[in-house]
Amino acid sequence: MKGSAMWSVFRYGVFRGCSKAALVGLVTIGLTTPAMTRADTVHLLALGDSLTQGYGLLEDEGFVPQLREWLTERGHDVRIVNGGVSGDTTAGGLSRVEWSLTPEIEGMIVTLGGNDLLRGIDPSVSRANIEGILQVAEAQDVDVLLIGMTAPGNYGADYKADFERIYPELAEGYGTLYLDNFFTGVLQDGEMPADVGNVMQSDGIHPNALGVKQVIEAVGPKVEDLIARIEG
């Protein structure tokens, strides 16, 4: 995120905790039993925080269900596991990625780092955590779409530069697909639109249903690339 798009990141992810039992109950969008799914169904995991989870939205308005609908409309047979946990950091994602990648998962969308920025976590720590996630995916032969973050300038130019290098450098190093910003589809010339209330919830942190739809206009084609890589 750039400019005014980053004003929300300082409060980003300050939400209720999530128990292990809740994590085990990750929401699955689509057909849920192997006996019911066709052999050509592509199985994806969306690993992230509240943006992935769909915080503050009705179940069918969140990122995962809207993404699945977008893909289905374009002829893709896909099942997406919602691995979004509100308030999660890159460390949280690393701690649960291995057991979240159940045997049928073929691809993973990774959207983590906003809460690291909120807490001012050392970029080297965030980098190591994201790299750990990519190493687990590589070991399990899971293709990845890595979605990046733009750091605010409040922590200084060095922090900003170090943090922003994490995603493109790791994407190149591990050969993953890459999108620079979750909010790319919402931004106008790199900034949040003047009528931000039309696309964001009242907390100024999370997109509303329309905002999610715009997010998916940018994320969706990248997920199609991920599916093509899996099927290729």
Side-chain angles (χ1 to χ4, degrees):
M1 291 175 278
K2 298 181 180 178
S4 59
M6 285 308 306
W7 63 274
S8 64
V9 84
F10 302 109
R11 293 179 293 153
Y12 180 71
V14 185
F15 307 114
R16 61 185 178 276
C18 191
S19 67
K20 181 66 177 288
L23 293 179
V24 172
L26 292 172
V27 178
T28 300
I29 304 300
L31 301 176
T32 58
T33 61
M36 295 172 63
T37 56
R38 299 200 304 273
D40 58 352
T41 299
V42 174
H43 299 263
L44 304 176
L45 168 69
L47 185 75
D49 48 35
S50 55
L51 295 176
T52 299
Q53 181 200 32
Y55 178 86
L57 299 171
L58 298 176
E59 183 176 351
D60 61 351
E61 295 176 342
F63 173 74
V64 169
Q66 285 209 50
L67 176 59
R68 181 180 182 275
E69 182 179 4
W70 189 94
L71 292 167
T72 299
E73 288 174 353
R74 285 155 181 79
H76 300 286
D77 179 11
V78 61
R79 168 181 174 264
I80 309 176
V81 176
N82 189 339
V85 175
S86 288
D88 216 3
T89 62
T90 57
L94 176 59
S95 72
R96 59 192 173 87
V97 63
E98 192 162 7
W99 58 261
S100 296
L101 287 175
T102 50
E104 76 279 5
I105 299 296
E106 302 161 281
M108 178 168 60
I109 306 162
V110 179
T111 310
L112 287 163
N115 292 306
D116 293 50
L117 290 173
L118 171 70
R119 302 178 187 189
I121 292 173
D122 188 323
S124 65
V125 174
S126 301
R127 176 186 287 268
N129 291 332
I130 295 174
E131 184 165 20
I133 291 170
L134 298 182
Q135 288 172 344
V136 171
E138 185 176 67
Q140 298 194 26
D141 196 24
V142 171
D143 290 305
V144 175
L145 166 61
L146 181 62
I147 301 180
M149 289 279 173
T150 301
N154 298 60
Y155 302 123
D158 289 344
Y159 182 101
K160 178 176 174 64
D162 288 345
F163 194 94
E164 291 178 359
R165 281 197 294 263
I166 293 171
Y167 301 91
E169 289 181 358
L170 289 179
E172 181 178 2
Y174 283 84
T176 77
L177 296 167
Y178 171 65
L179 178 66
D180 64 341
N181 193 332
F182 181 87
F183 285 102
T184 295
V186 172
L187 302 180
Q188 297 177 357
D189 298 323
E191 304 286 341
M192 276 292 185
D195 55 348
V196 67
N198 288 338
V199 293
M200 298 294 287
Q201 297 180 43
S202 59
D203 62 7
I205 301 168
H206 302 90
N208 59 23
L210 175 60
V212 172
K213 182 177 180 181
Q214 293 183 10
V215 164
I216 288 170
E217 289 301 317
V219 175
K222 292 290 187 179
V223 179
E224 286 191 300
D225 292 343
L226 180 63
I227 292 171
R229 180 175 289 192
I230 292 167
E231 294 179 333

